[in-house]
Amino acid sequence: MGIIEKKKIEGILSGYKKLSIATVCSHSALQIFQGARQGKVHSIGICTKDRLEFYKSFPHARPDEFLVVDSLADVPVEELVARDAIVVPHGSFVEYVGEKLDGMAVPVFGNRRSLQFERDRMKMFSWMGKAGLRIPKTMKPEEINGLAIVKFPGAKGGMGYMIVKSEKEYWEKVGKKKALIQEFIVGVRAYPHYFHSIFSEAGYKTAYGHVELMGVDRRVESNAEEIARAVAAGGNVPLSFTVVGNASMVMRESLLPSFMDIGRNVCNSSKELFGGMHGPFCVETIVTEDLDIYAFEISARIVAGTNVLHHPYAEFTHGEMVSTGKRIAQELKEAFRKKKLNEIVY
Ligand code: AMP
């Protein structure tokens, strides 16, 4: 399916008399609903029956209204438009809805073209290259010489990734399956999350607004995080990278200017490639012992690491603790008031 014309979305927006925020009940939905509540914006949760009890159980973070669906992949587009809703895409949303998101006739916060770049690894590499990021080397099986990480298409949250050390091991373990082979970077993983705003005066200036650093997290992965215990106990288990949670971190302060530059460069290159990105995004990085920063992925929407609500950088920027969910509500409200929703919604 092709991407819906921007004009059509502008047409839908022109009929909006109020503002509401909708998302699928998963990933960072509680934070998005809490943020909408804090900003006094009506919120809508797209939810399956089996999840209702859970999402109703948080009085301060549940949505004001539920739209119950059979599958989270079925976004009830007409009901959302009838409620003047802007959809906030998150990681699970992007995963469940997939390419259907391109053609969805409902306004989406940000630029849906950015999610096409997130979905397609080759597009993602071209974007990271244009942003001047240092990227781990991609290899053919015959080029494997040392630690390499093997990533399978559609693998989510690191599930099923493998480590190989030689071409021989690659063919034995992976065979002819389609996979991306990448140099394994040894270092500390750090996931800075940003917010691009067309109104903000804080953060670093970009070609089309300002980019704020909201926080940094690290993913807590099973079993990578705890493998030392198994090894110390005499076990010989393969490393795995299934994300089970996130923890906030603060960076050595002298690294932060580089992270700000990375955020700005990603925004500026997105402007050149597909008209710019708006709202939350994240760059997944690994910092080596020489303090080189490698970037291996861009998430062009809110990431689950923002669920750790207390990040000092958001507080340094806004003078109080502002979650990414609250920041989304603020930006959308300001755009609605200034009749500029068209600029940050597609
Ligand atoms: P991804 O699905 O690309 O976000 O990767 C999932 C996890 O795999 C990351 O959080 C890292 O722990 C690990 N990982 C991915 N790429 C690399 C790499 N090039 N070097 C080392 N670890 C990596």
Side-chain angles (χ1 to χ4, degrees):
M1 192 196 281
I3 197 159
I4 191 167
E5 277 178 58
K6 178 90 196 291
K7 271 208 181 97
K8 286 207 175 132
I9 298 296
E10 287 173 5
I12 296 170
L13 279 175
S14 67
Y16 277 20
K17 301 276 179 292
K18 56 181 173 47
L19 178 68
S20 52
I21 287 177
T23 199
V24 160
C25 288
S26 185
H27 190 271
S28 43
L30 290 169
Q31 184 199 159
I32 294 167
F33 300 141
Q34 188 202 33
R37 269 175 191 276
Q38 290 167 334
K40 301 200 169 25
V41 180
H42 183 76
S43 60
I44 303 164
I46 303 159
C47 196
T48 46
K49 257 199 190 130
D50 58 325
R51 293 181 183 215
L52 276 176
E53 184 183 14
F54 173 74
Y55 279 93
K56 281 182 178 170
S57 70
F58 297 100
H60 299 283
R62 66 181 167 217
D64 295 313
E65 184 184 0
F66 285 98
L67 290 177
V68 180
V69 292
D70 290 334
S71 150
L72 293 179
D74 302 332
V75 176
V77 167
E78 278 125 45
E79 278 118 302
L80 289 171
V81 170
R83 287 163 175 78
D84 295 357
I86 310 283
V87 164
V88 176
H90 52 54
S92 306
F93 188 107
V94 169
E95 186 184 332
Y96 293 134
V97 179
E99 285 180 15
K100 275 199 295 185
L101 199 146
D102 292 356
M104 255 172 34
V106 60
V108 172
F109 179 39
N111 178 354
R112 67 181 80 195
R113 284 190 195 282
S114 69
L115 298 168
Q116 292 183 316
F117 275 75
E118 172 175 331
R119 257 197 323 259
D120 180 325
R121 276 195 174 125
M122 289 305 127
K123 279 193 167 149
M124 164 92 65
F125 284 137
S126 70
W127 182 8
M128 293 198 293
K130 203 173 177 64
L133 307 185
R134 189 193 293 260
I135 310 168
K137 212 172 102 199
T138 300
M139 291 178 270
K140 298 194 180 83
E142 58 273 24
E143 291 170 330
I144 301 172
N145 177 20
L147 286 181
I149 184 164
V150 182
K151 305 183 179 187
F152 298 102
K156 290 290 173 259
M159 218 176 256
Y161 286 5
M162 255 179 221
I163 303 290
V164 294
K165 294 179 217 60
S166 65
E167 183 184 358
K168 183 168 170 285
E169 194 182 351
Y170 179 84
W171 292 120
E172 277 166 14
K173 284 191 174 166
V174 182
K176 288 199 180 303
K177 270 185 272 176
K178 202 169 157 16
L180 174 88
I181 312 167
Q182 208 173 55
E183 170 190 11
F184 183 86
I185 306 296
V186 180
V188 170
R189 291 161 306 122
Y191 301 73
H193 4 107
Y194 306 90
F195 192 94
H196 189 278
S197 167
I198 58 168
F199 306 115
S200 181
E201 305 262 297
Y204 271 23
K205 197 164 169 25
T206 68
Y208 58 108
H210 278 77
V211 63
E212 302 166 356
L213 181 66
M214 296 295 289
V216 182
D217 79 291
R218 57 183 297 155
R219 289 177 173 183
V220 185
E221 296 172 342
S222 183
N223 59 21
E225 236 61 39
E226 302 274 343
I227 199 163
R229 293 160 54 116
V231 173
N236 180 15
V237 286
L239 201 56
S240 57
F241 305 94
T242 305
V243 179
V244 293
N246 300 81
S248 179
M249 70 190 285
V250 289
M251 303 305 298
R252 183 180 173 134
E253 198 151 300
S254 58
L255 282 169
L256 286 175
S258 302
F259 278 114
M260 294 301 290
D261 286 336
I262 287 173
R264 169 158 57 198
N265 291 342
V266 165
C267 290
N268 287 346
S269 52
S270 78
K271 179 79 177 156
E272 285 175 41
L273 280 173
F274 51 83
M277 207 176 15
H278 302 284
F281 69 99
C282 171
V283 183
E284 301 179 13
T285 72
I286 299 175
V287 186
T288 68
E289 61 189 6
D290 299 324
L291 301 182
D292 290 330
I293 302 173
Y294 282 83
F296 59 94
E297 206 165 292
I298 302 170
S299 296
R301 34 86 196 158
I302 187 168
V303 288
T306 61
N307 288 339
V308 186
L309 296 183
H310 294 275
H311 292 285
Y313 306 120
E315 200 169 340
F316 296 160
T317 304
H318 295 286
E320 57 173 357
M321 195 44 237
V322 175
S323 72
T324 294
K326 186 172 178 187
R327 192 69 191 83
I328 291 170
Q330 283 177 344
E331 187 82 357
L332 282 172
K333 270 175 74 175
E334 188 160 0
F336 184 73
R337 205 174 56 241
K338 294 183 171 161
K339 301 200 177 351
K340 290 194 168 188
L341 273 180
N342 276 340
E343 293 183 27
I344 59 166
V345 165
Y346 174 23

